[in-house]
Amino acid sequence: MISMNLYKKTLVLFVVVFTTLIFSSCSKDSDFPNIEEYIQEKGLNTQTTSSGLQYIIEAQGTAPNPTLSSSITINYNGYLLNGESFDSGSNVTFALLTLIQGWQEGLQLIGSGGKIKLLIPSNLAYGSRGSGSIPPNTDLGFDIDLISVQ
């Protein structure tokens, strides 16, 4: 009877600790502002898609706009919303379908020669898995110049 009681207490403790770890890993790191805080702090006037992607079209560009089957050549800077840059590229080509959902959605809004600022919620970026230096559940910012669409 004593060992069964100890087993139950141990099991309950395990469940409580495990649940706490799971829920705490899903929360955002307090060092990183969310998109709404970032927009307010920077005084930005963004537009929002139905998925929650926030964007500012700085230059519309010319037709054609990319589709998911397009390859795109871009210049870009990716940053955490605390201002820390985590990636950039110049004159790089990607298949749009291979990129994160926020890019797939946002880059279809502009044409060749266009410029866009994307503020991407974590669920449209790397979500709970994170990627490299990007912590899990982190909203991201990207400044993108769309050079060409193929």
Side-chain angles (χ1 to χ4, degrees):
M1 186 83 171
I2 292 175
S3 64
M4 184 58 108
N5 195 18
L6 180 60
Y7 172 77
K8 287 180 181 179
K9 287 180 180 179
T10 304
L11 182 60
V12 168
L13 179 62
F14 173 77
V15 170
V16 168
V17 169
F18 182 76
T19 303
T20 302
L21 287 173
I22 291 298
F23 283 112
S24 68
S25 70
C26 292
S27 65
K28 292 189 185 288
D29 187 325
S30 62
D31 291 341
F32 301 100
N34 65 34
I35 290 175
E36 291 77 23
E37 293 167 338
Y38 182 82
I39 290 170
Q40 184 175 9
E41 176 185 310
K42 300 291 185 185
L44 301 175
N45 184 18
T46 62
Q47 297 182 57
T48 307
T49 67
S50 61
S51 69
L53 174 69
Q54 303 246 3
Y55 65 95
I56 299 171
I57 296 176
E58 297 171 344
Q60 184 61 54
T62 59
N65 288 23
T67 65
L68 288 179
S69 61
S70 299
S71 288
I72 55 169
T73 301
I74 61 171
N75 298 328
Y76 72 95
N77 182 45
Y79 49 92
L80 304 175
L81 299 186
N82 68 355
E84 178 184 334
S85 180
F86 62 82
D87 192 18
S88 63
S90 181
N91 203 33
V92 293
T93 301
F94 298 107
L96 188 55
L97 190 59
T98 65
L99 302 174
I100 60 174
Q101 186 177 347
W103 278 40
Q104 291 177 14
E105 187 176 341
L107 286 171
Q108 292 184 71
L109 300 172
I110 60 173
S112 294
K115 296 180 182 204
I116 193 166
K117 176 185 288 296
L118 300 176
L119 299 173
I120 304 176
S122 66
N123 66 309
L124 300 178
Y126 299 102
S128 62
R129 70 185 185 278
S131 179
S133 64
I134 302 169
N137 303 308
T138 303
D139 297 339
L140 303 175
F142 290 93
D143 295 325
I144 304 172
D145 299 337
L146 180 57
I147 298 169
S148 65
V149 177
Q150 299 87 36

